[in-house]
Amino acid sequence: MPSRATLSIIASWLVHAYTASGVVLAFLTVIAVAEGDTERALWLFLVAMVVDGTDGMLARSVDVKRHVPWFDGALLDNIVDYITYAFMPMVLLWSAGYLGEGTSATVLASVPLLASAYQFCRVDAKTEDHLFLGFPSYWNIAAFYVVVLDLSPTAVTWVLLVCAVLVFVPIGYVYPSRTESLQGLTLVLTTVWLASYAVLVAQLPDPGTIWLAISIAYVVYYVALSLYLTTHRAHRARTA
């Protein structure tokens, strides 16, 4: 029978493999986009979000840094997140025509990619109190609402440009699985939001008003809590 240490090492590698599965999901998304299946791409975005939202908790529970100290799981996570949260959403929006046509569409797609490249390389991208500093490259979520709301290229342009600018604005955004303030409530509401995501995708091309309202209400809660925590951090800093 394997020793406890061996089992811990195996468990650690399984967690890393779970994280790495995101690149497979990204490849499957490429296939879906190439085949013009936007809804399948959105389903794959959902699966990728579930993986990303749970792999960190699994990594901490088995203490991967202790058992496989020479392998950088955080770097792996960043690589996967950039592909699934930034690169693939732009590919989807560009391919589906939501960014318009021609050179302007290519330039528009490049803006979030460059902004996210900067954001992912910041050493202070995550604060000590577990907040994302600057818009946390939720381009997959932006793409989801673009498709669900069927936004025009002009509206999409504004959404992407505003979010790209917010990457550089030092607002702290909630990290649902780690931010301690109202964490229990946030996790429950995040689960409800994920359920609403699934329902809305299933209802495409005619998403229901009630589920859409539930989904947007979570976004309002997320932004409001993020702004409150940012203000609270600034107040504590001034006091100190």
Side-chain angles (χ1 to χ4, degrees), residues 129 131 170-174 179-182 186 220-236 238:
D129 51 350
L131 296 174
I171 296 173
Y173 292 84
V174 173
T179 302
E180 295 180 357
S181 298
L182 298 179
T186 299
V220 172
Y221 164 82
Y222 180 91
V223 172
L225 180 58
S226 297
L227 292 175
Y228 168 77
L229 293 177
T230 299
T231 303
H232 187 59
R233 288 179 72 245
H235 177 70
R236 283 187 301 173
R238 286 195 300 268

Side-chain angles (χ1 to χ4, degrees), residues 87-105:
F87 189 80
M88 284 313 307
M90 291 307 105
V91 172
L92 172 63
L93 293 179
W94 181 87
S95 178
Y98 287 102
L99 304 184
E101 299 178 355
T103 303
S104 61

Side-chain angles (χ1 to χ4, degrees), residues 44-86:
L44 289 165
F45 281 172
L46 177 59
V47 177
M49 281 190 287
V50 172
V51 171
D52 180 57
T54 54
D55 64 347
M57 292 183 287
L58 291 173
R60 290 186 291 274
S61 68
V62 302
D63 199 2
V64 295
K65 289 184 179 180
R66 175 186 174 190
H67 299 293
V68 190
W70 54 270
F71 188 86
D72 194 338
L75 178 58
L76 172 63
D77 187 60
N78 277 342
I79 292 171
V80 172
D81 285 354
Y82 184 83
I83 296 172
T84 57
Y85 277 61

Side-chain angles (χ1 to χ4, degrees), residues 110-122 124-125 132-137 139 160-173 230:
S110 300
V111 172
L113 295 178
L114 292 171
S116 290
Y118 167 82
Q119 199 265 349
F120 271 91
C121 292
R122 292 186 62 166
D124 61 347
F132 294 113
L133 190 61
F135 177 71
S137 296
W139 303 109
L160 297 188
L161 292 180
V162 169
C163 289
V165 170
L166 288 175
V167 168
F168 303 92
V169 178
I171 296 173
Y173 292 84
T230 299

